Amino acid sequence: MRCAGLPLFLVCGTRLAYPSGFPTRTLATGEANKVPRQTAQPTVETLNEQGPAPRYLQLKQFICRQIDSGAWPPHHRVPSENELVELSGVSRMTVNRALRELTAEGRLVRMQGVGTFVAEPKSHSPLLAVNNIADEIAEHGHRHHAEVELLRAELAGPERALAMGLQERERLFHSVIVHYQDNVPVQIEDRFVNPALAPNYLEQDFTSITPNVYLQRLSPLTSGEHVVEAVTATPEEAQMLQIVRTEPCLLIRRRTWSGKRIVSVARLLHPGSRHRLEGRFGEPE
């Protein structure tokens, strides 16, 4: 599979990818890009106004308010640990805990040697629907594009044949596509398709139309199955998603039917820091 051209940076011996839009350091010259100045600062007085909660929690709440209000938009640079210590009057350990927890929660992105920045909000998908990822990305004001890593015919092994309702060594189609939100990869779509329902699948340009849209035109879906798991990516998948090997990922295993025949079996892999699933059941009274 093709992995060239990925914008990776080497940090402490680990290949680490930075999402597009965040400031980066020019390694050849050591000259950093300019970042916006802060528009609000935590002070001893503002923290005291938040009552008896622990100081690290008060600092987290202050930062979240700046993010939620729009005062600190995505990619905005947060004051450094030293600046926060001086401004808020709390210990460095307290500041470090607040920033560390907000990073783990996906609200901040910390870049070694560069700074701490407000994270881009995660994209999300309905848990029980089969939606087109290009539409989901566009609905949130971003640009979708895709790169086709693999598109070919294969013979079904025993496990794949069972999953797709085919006979062993029957022909099937296999595609691997990386979907991007702006310039950041957010999903690897690894899909097997029944050729009887989409005989021209291998002839499609999946940089201009998604497999979801193409298959729905040919064989409207009547039912589906989702299995959701927390996994880590393989080294090759981590390269395609531009993430460190240890980052948790969300994996959706999806089978879809048109009538009584299985249309496709897909494995949809998302970086945990860039995606979430959500669902709603019933109507509020």
Side-chain angles (χ1 to χ4, degrees):
M1 293 187 185
R2 175 168 51 82
C3 297
L6 300 181
L8 302 177
F9 296 82
L10 191 63
V11 180
C12 296
T14 301
R15 296 186 74 80
L16 179 64
Y18 295 155
S20 174
F22 287 100
T24 59
R25 174 166 292 178
T26 306
L27 299 181
T29 64
E31 180 181 356
N33 294 340
K34 293 183 179 180
V35 295
R37 297 178 62 86
Q38 285 69 43
T39 56
Q41 314 291 354
T43 64
V44 175
E45 290 75 16
T46 59
L47 295 187
N48 285 339
E49 292 172 359
Q50 298 178 52
R55 286 302 179 111
Y56 84 90
L57 184 57
Q58 292 183 30
L59 185 56
K60 285 180 62 178
Q61 292 170 342
F62 172 85
I63 294 172
C64 287
R65 283 202 304 274
Q66 303 311 308
I67 296 172
D68 294 339
S69 69
W72 291 2
H75 311 161
H76 180 85
R77 185 171 187 171
V78 176
S80 68
E81 285 191 12
N82 288 337
E83 291 170 330
L84 288 172
V85 167
E86 182 178 349
L87 291 166
S88 65
V90 301
S91 69
R92 187 182 184 91
M93 184 179 299
T94 298
V95 170
N96 181 270
R97 178 176 179 179
L99 296 181
R100 188 174 67 249
E101 291 190 5
L102 287 171
T103 301
E105 294 165 10
R107 304 302 303 270
L108 300 178
V109 175
R110 306 186 76 182
M111 300 181 181
Q112 183 174 342
V114 180
T116 301
F117 302 88
V118 176
E120 183 79 29
K122 294 182 182 181
S123 61
H124 67 275
S125 298
L127 180 57
L128 300 178
V130 180
N131 289 340
N132 179 33
I133 187 171
D135 293 339
E136 292 178 355
I137 290 173
E139 286 171 3
H140 290 85
H142 297 280
R143 180 178 60 87
H144 167 269
H145 77 275
E147 294 184 1
V148 178
E149 301 288 339
L150 182 146
L151 186 61
R152 69 187 183 193
E154 298 179 3
L155 298 180
E159 184 176 344
R160 192 68 58 201
L162 180 63
M164 296 195 64
L166 302 175
Q167 297 297 315
E168 188 174 345
R169 297 193 63 77
E170 269 197 73
R171 188 167 176 260
L172 49 73
F173 297 147
H174 186 192
S175 61
V176 177
I177 299 169
V178 182
H179 295 279
Y180 289 75
Q181 177 175 292
D182 298 327
N183 294 314
V184 180
V186 294
Q187 183 192 91
I188 297 175
E189 175 190 330
D190 188 349
R191 184 184 296 269
F192 291 88
V193 175
N194 185 342
L197 298 177
N200 298 319
Y201 186 80
L202 299 183
E203 301 169 17
Q204 306 310 306
D205 178 7
F206 289 123
T207 64
S208 60
I209 185 174
T210 65
N212 177 286
V213 169
Y214 177 69
L215 293 173
Q216 292 247 36
R217 289 177 182 173
L218 293 179
S219 303
L221 304 183
T222 57
S223 59
E225 172 187 87
H226 280 168
V227 177
V228 182
E229 300 178 66
V231 301
T232 54
T234 66
E236 187 174 31
E237 289 169 339
Q239 280 192 312
M240 285 192 285
L241 290 173
Q242 302 175 25
I243 59 174
V244 293
R245 176 69 176 81
T246 55
E247 176 169 341
C249 294
L250 282 174
L251 172 63
I252 302 174
R253 300 183 188 274
R254 174 186 293 167
R255 287 198 297 174
T256 52
W257 282 260
S258 182
K260 295 184 178 181
R261 293 197 292 181
I262 295 174
V263 178
S264 72
V265 174
R267 183 178 181 274
L268 310 174
L269 187 68
H270 308 82
S273 62
R274 302 174 193 163
H275 197 80
R276 72 174 187 266
L277 296 173
E278 59 184 35
R280 181 173 178 175
F281 303 90
E283 293 296 330
E285 296 181 358

